[in-house]
Amino acid sequence: DADNQYTQGNMYYLGEGVPKDYTKAKEWFEKAAAHDSADAQNTLGVMYFYAEGVPKDYTKAKEWFEKAASRGNVEAQNALGRMYYSGEGAPKDYTMAREWFEKSSSQDSAVAQFYLGMMLYRGEGFLQNYEMAKEWLQKAANQDAPVADVAQVYLGNMYFKGEGVPKDYTMAREWFEKAVKQGNEEAYSMLHQIDLAESPSFYSETQ
């Protein structure tokens, strides 16, 4: 069945228990995709997008992502959101990006929460709205996900600059420290900025 075909494909795709073989992986994924496996459809999209065992083909990638996304696959919805956001493999279109990220955010996707927060912060596909940006960024920042540290830096910056929130170096420091624990270098330099801003010489120079 589709699940077994997808599992078989994944073994070859990842090289788990068998030598890694994109050609065999693709064959199994195509069988599973024909039986409506959204995971297989999404992975085929990834293979065409990143040229894994096939020539890079954004059109085919997008077609596979759309099939998987229409079945509620979060990763495919995010992939389409990123394609429209960046203009890589699709025309740059913030409205379309927003639509896909809103779909995946309803499934608690940290990636989608981060992008929606960033877009609201920057006024991309939305009217700029710091308060709503903060809500989405906090959701992403509190998840155990690869984008969490970037969301934490955005939140730290908002408190550091007083964007949509009262200026608050203590809150800024808290968010930057969380991001530093995940190895975020920008957060480390921002902690230094707070130290400078809190030093007496900084205040006397800015009077």
Side-chain angles (χ1 to χ4, degrees):
D1 67 346
D3 286 343
N4 286 336
Q5 290 164 340
Y6 172 70
T7 303
Q8 200 71 26
N10 227 19
M11 286 169 68
Y12 284 111
Y13 182 68
L14 301 171
E16 289 182 348
V18 291
K20 186 181 275 202
D21 186 330
Y22 285 141
T23 307
K24 284 184 178 170
K26 180 170 168 278
E27 286 172 11
W28 282 108
F29 287 143
E30 283 173 343
K31 286 176 184 173
H35 290 108
D36 297 328
S37 163
D39 287 331
Q41 290 165 345
N42 175 63
T43 311
L44 285 165
V46 171
M47 291 178 81
Y48 280 109
F49 192 87
Y50 292 108
E52 295 175 335
V54 291
K56 187 180 282 259
D57 188 329
Y58 287 139
T59 306
K60 283 187 178 171
K62 188 163 170 283
E63 284 172 7
W64 282 117
F65 286 141
E66 283 170 347
K67 285 180 180 176
S70 70
R71 299 189 163 276
N73 184 282
V74 171
E75 288 174 25
Q77 289 171 346
N78 284 335
L80 288 166
R82 282 194 296 261
M83 285 172 84
Y84 282 113
Y85 181 81
S86 67
E88 187 181 359
K92 184 175 270 210
D93 186 331
Y94 291 141
T95 306
M96 286 295 290
R98 172 185 170 176
E99 280 182 23
W100 283 114
F101 288 134
E102 283 176 340
K103 283 191 168 106
S104 52
S105 73
S106 70
Q107 298 188 65
D108 208 30
S109 161
V111 169
Q113 291 164 349
F114 167 70
Y115 269 96
L116 289 170
M118 179 178 67
M119 290 169 77
L120 280 156
Y121 179 86
R122 294 180 176 179
E124 295 168 336
F126 295 89
L127 288 172
Q128 190 175 49
N129 186 322
Y130 289 142
E131 286 179 21
M132 282 179 68
K134 177 174 162 273
E135 284 179 27
W136 283 114
L137 289 166
Q138 276 182 323
K139 286 179 181 179
N142 289 322
Q143 289 214 52
D144 180 18
V147 292
D149 64 311
V150 191
Q152 288 159 359
V153 169
Y154 265 90
L155 289 162
N157 272 314
M158 289 175 81
Y159 281 105
F160 183 68
K161 295 172 184 172
E163 293 174 329
V165 289
K167 191 178 280 196
D168 185 333
Y169 289 154
T170 306
M171 285 296 292
R173 191 183 289 279
E174 276 182 28
W175 283 114
F176 290 137
E177 283 173 350
K178 285 182 180 180
V180 163
K181 283 178 185 166
Q182 296 178 69
N184 188 294
E185 289 181 11
E186 187 185 346
Y188 186 79
S189 67
M190 286 308 300
L191 284 173
H192 181 59
Q193 292 290 317
I194 294 176
D195 290 338
L196 288 176
E198 287 183 330
S199 70
S201 61
F202 179 85
Y203 282 115
S204 60
E205 284 165 20
T206 54
Q207 292 304 311

